[in-house]
Amino acid sequence: MKETRKQPGTCIPWQQKLKELGEIKGDEELIRKIWQDNDALAYIYIWHCLLSF
Amino acid sequence: MDMEALYQQRLKRYVTAMRNEKPDMIPIRPFAAEFTAKYAGYTCQQVTQDYNLAFDAACKTAGDFDFDAVVGNMVYVWSGLTQAIGLKYYAIPGIEIGENIGFQYLEPGEEEAFMKPDEYDQLIEDPTGFLFNVWLPRVSNDVCEIGSPSTYRNNLSFLKGGMAMMNYFSSFPGQGQRLRTECGAVSAISGILKAPMDILADKLRGYLGLCNDLCERPEKVLAACESLMPHLAHVALSGADPDKNVPIAIWMHRGCVPFISHDNFDKIYWATLKPIIEEIWSRGHQTLFYAEGKWDAHLEAFATLPEKSIVFHIDQSDVFKVHEVLGEKFAISGGIPNALLSYGSQDEVRGYCKKVIDCVAQDGGYIMDASAIIQNDASIENIKAMTDFVREYGVY
C-alpha cells in the first residue's frame, strides 16, 4: 500500500499537538500516549460512522 | 457436555473448516439477523432500537438451534446510535417504515450524493479530515457545516454519538461471553472491512455517481481508493480477533461485473482490495469474503490470494464453479438460497443442502449458511430443517 501523509489511526498528530503545547516540563511520553489513545477514539468514531453505520 | 466443552468443540470445528480442513462435522454458522427477532418474539423495531433485545434474540436463537457460530448482533445497525448522530440515510423500523420491516439504507439520488464529483482531491489529500469536515455534516441532520455557526444539536451529536458508540462496542465482548457460557456458541466474526470502491459507491458518490466517475475521471477514482486503503486496513485490523481464530468480514457490495466493467474490476476494485487482504493475512488474520451478489466473473482473481487467506461466502455465485476454482485453496460458506428458506418446503431445503454438501463439502472446508443474511421472511421450520439435516448428514 502507498504511504499516506495522514497516518491511519490519527486525527490530530502528536507532533502537531506538541508544537501547540510548547515546552513540556514533565513526562512527555505519558502525555503523548494519552493524547494518541484519545485521538484514536475520534478516528475510530468517524471511520465506523462510514463503515459500520 | 458442559457449555465450555461444547464451545471448545464448536470453535475447533469452525476454525478447522475455515482453514479448509476436515472437522468432525460441518459447522453451522447462519448469519441470522431479523430472523432472530421473529424466532424470539420481537419486532424488527425492538431489535433495531434496543440492542440488548437483539442480544437476547441472538442468544435464544443460537441456544435453541444447534448453531456452532453466530454473530452477536447481526441486526448490526443500532438505530439508537444512528439517531444520536442524526444520520439521515436510514429508514428505521417503527419510524419511517413498519415495525416489522428490517432497517433500510436510503441511497441518495445522484444530485444529492454525499460527495460531489469535484471533491476527489479533498478526499485524496486527507480522508479522515474529509469525513469529519465535509461528509458528516451532509449525512447528519444535526452536524453543522464547517464555518457555519455551531448549534446545540451539533454539539450533542458528537457527545451522544461518541458515548453511544462506546457503549455499543463495549457491550460486544459481554455478548460474546454470554453466547459462550449460555449457548456454547462461537462469535463468528471480528472486525469489519469494505472495499475502497464499495465505500465510494455506498456512502460517498453513490453508485450512479461512481459509474459516471469511472468514465469521466477514472484516475481520481483510483487515487481515492488508494487513499482509503491504509485507513480501511487499519480499521479492519483494529477490530480483529486477537486470538486469530475468527475472520474479519468484508461485506462486498457492487464491485463485480456487471455493476462495473472487467477493466475497472482489475485496475481499481481488485487492485485496491487485494493488497489489504494480503496485509491482513500477513498479520495472521483470515478475511471472510461475504460476496453479496454474483461474483463468478472474478473467481480466478480471488484464486491468486495466498492459500487459506480467505473464506469465500456464496450468495448468488455458482456453488459448483466456486468449488472448482477456489475449493483447493479456500474454505467456502453459504449457498443455500434465502428464497428457498422462506418459501420452499422442508424437503426442498433438505434436498438443496444435500446437493451443496455432496458437491463442495466432501473433504471439509465448508461452513453451512444461507446465501444472504437471514431476515424475518425465513421460515422457522425451514431453518430448523436446514440445521437438523446438516447435523445428521454433515458428519465426517
Side-chain angles (χ1 to χ4, degrees):
Chain A
M1 277 180 273
K2 285 185 179 175
E3 286 294 312
T4 175
R5 199 169 65 79
K6 303 284 186 178
Q7 285 305 308
T10 301
C11 296
I12 299 176
W14 168 243
Q15 287 306 321
Q16 181 180 333
K17 184 63 186 174
L18 185 59
K19 284 179 191 164
E20 294 170 12
L21 293 174
E23 183 188 357
I24 302 290
K25 298 181 174 63
D27 184 348
E28 181 180 321
E29 182 60 15
L30 178 62
I31 300 168
R32 180 198 61 76
K33 180 185 180 307
I34 299 303
W35 174 265
Q36 289 184 330
D37 285 351
N38 284 327
D39 195 62
L41 292 175
Y43 177 90
I44 285 296
Y45 177 77
I46 193 66
W47 282 92
H48 272 288
C49 284
L50 181 75
L51 279 163
S52 302
F53 300 104
Chain B
M1 188 183 296
D2 67 35
M3 280 298 169
E4 181 58 20
L6 180 62
Y7 172 84
Q8 292 297 339
Q9 183 186 66
R10 285 171 163 168
L11 178 65
K12 184 179 180 187
R13 179 179 303 146
Y14 180 46
V15 172
T16 300
M18 288 194 295
R19 304 297 189 262
N20 207 22
E21 294 164 10
K22 190 186 280 188
D24 60 338
M25 60 181 76
I26 293 171
I28 304 172
R29 185 223 60 196
F31 278 178
E34 283 81 1
F35 174 78
T36 64
K38 177 181 182 176
Y39 179 72
Y42 298 123
T43 63
C44 289
Q45 178 182 2
Q46 285 176 302
V47 294
T48 311
Q49 196 72 22
D50 183 346
Y51 66 77
N52 284 306
L53 296 181
F55 286 172
D56 290 344
C59 279
K60 178 167 177 55
T61 309
D64 288 358
F65 288 78
D66 195 5
F67 293 163
D68 292 297
V70 297
V71 176
N73 179 15
M74 198 63 240
V75 189
Y76 190 74
V77 173
W78 171 38
S79 55
L81 171 57
T82 66
Q83 286 181 298
I85 300 170
L87 295 178
K88 59 175 77 162
Y89 49 62
Y90 284 114
I92 299 173
I95 302 180
E96 289 89 359
I97 53 178
E99 65 177 357
N100 257 322
I101 300 171
F103 71 85
Q104 305 288 312
Y105 176 65
L106 307 171
E107 188 162 308
E110 196 174 348
E111 298 303 317
E112 291 79 40
F114 299 132
M115 173 183 156
K116 307 306 174 194
D118 61 357
E119 291 175 334
Y120 271 96
D121 288 341
Q122 274 182 270
L123 174 70
I124 293 162
E125 167 66 17
D126 179 8
T128 306
F130 183 85
L131 293 176
F132 269 120
N133 296 331
V134 180
W135 179 77
L136 192 57
R138 288 180 184 159
V139 300
S140 167
N141 286 313
D142 294 339
V143 175
C144 298
E145 284 182 40
I146 295 292
S148 66
S150 190
T151 64
Y152 181 55
R153 298 289 287 259
N154 172 83
N155 296 348
L156 281 179
S157 168
F158 288 101
L159 184 60
K160 290 170 65 176
M163 295 189 82
M165 189 181 288
M166 183 79 88
N167 258 347
Y168 186 42
F169 284 174
S170 299
S171 68
F172 271 88
Q175 170 69 349
Q177 192 62 19
R178 191 178 161 195
L179 286 166
R180 178 174 182 162
T181 56
E182 292 181 17
C183 321
V186 176
S187 292
I189 52 175
S190 184
I192 185 169
L193 176 64
K194 285 178 184 166
M197 187 187 271
D198 266 335
I199 281 295
L200 271 182
D202 289 353
K203 293 284 186 72
L204 293 162
R205 291 288 294 125
Y207 173 66
L208 294 177
L210 175 71
C211 288
N212 278 337
D213 297 342
L214 286 168
C215 295
E216 295 176 11
R217 52 190 73 83
E219 74 291 347
K220 297 289 186 190
V221 175
L222 175 60
C225 288
E226 287 174 341
S227 75
L228 291 169
M229 288 168 69
H231 297 279
L232 299 177
H234 180 91
V235 174
L237 287 164
S238 73
D241 175 11
D243 294 329
K244 303 183 177 180
N245 283 319
V246 304
I248 295 166
I250 176 169
W251 309 94
M252 298 160 70
H253 295 161
R254 293 173 290 193
C256 57
V257 170
F259 286 110
I260 60 172
S261 69
H262 284 279
D263 196 48
N264 284 327
F265 175 88
D266 291 338
K267 292 179 179 166
I268 305 180
Y269 182 91
W270 188 234
T272 56
L273 175 58
K274 185 180 179 185
I276 300 176
I277 306 301
E278 291 172 331
E279 173 70 14
I280 288 171
W281 180 240
S282 75
R283 311 283 187 95
H285 300 280
Q286 286 187 296
T287 303
L288 168 62
F289 272 36
Y290 202 84
E292 299 179 20
K294 189 179 180 72
W295 291 79
D296 290 355
H298 311 295
L299 300 178
E300 283 77 9
F302 302 149
T304 63
L305 288 167
E307 189 173 1
K308 302 183 196 289
S309 59
I310 67 166
V311 175
F312 188 85
H313 181 85
I314 298 169
D315 177 12
Q316 304 294 316
S317 302
D318 183 312
V319 63
F320 308 105
K321 186 173 180 190
V322 170
H323 181 248
E324 181 186 326
V325 179
L326 300 179
E328 284 289 313
K329 293 182 81 171
F330 311 115
I332 293 166
S333 68
I336 309 301
N338 291 63
L340 183 66
L341 293 170
S342 297
Y343 307 113
S345 69
Q346 292 173 50
D347 276 343
E348 287 171 324
V349 169
R350 284 187 281 266
Y352 203 95
C353 289
K354 181 178 184 303
K355 187 170 79 167
V356 170
I357 291 171
D358 288 346
C359 166
V360 308
Q362 291 306 301
D363 298 316
Y366 176 71
I367 297 115
M368 175 58 70
D369 190 3
S371 292
I373 289 166
I374 306 172
Q375 299 192 295
N376 56 343
D377 56 315
S379 148
I380 292 171
E381 293 73 24
N382 283 351
I383 296 295
K384 185 161 179 17
M386 176 180 82
T387 307
D388 291 348
F389 177 79
V390 175
R391 271 294 170 262
E392 179 187 325
Y393 190 70
V395 176
Y396 290 111

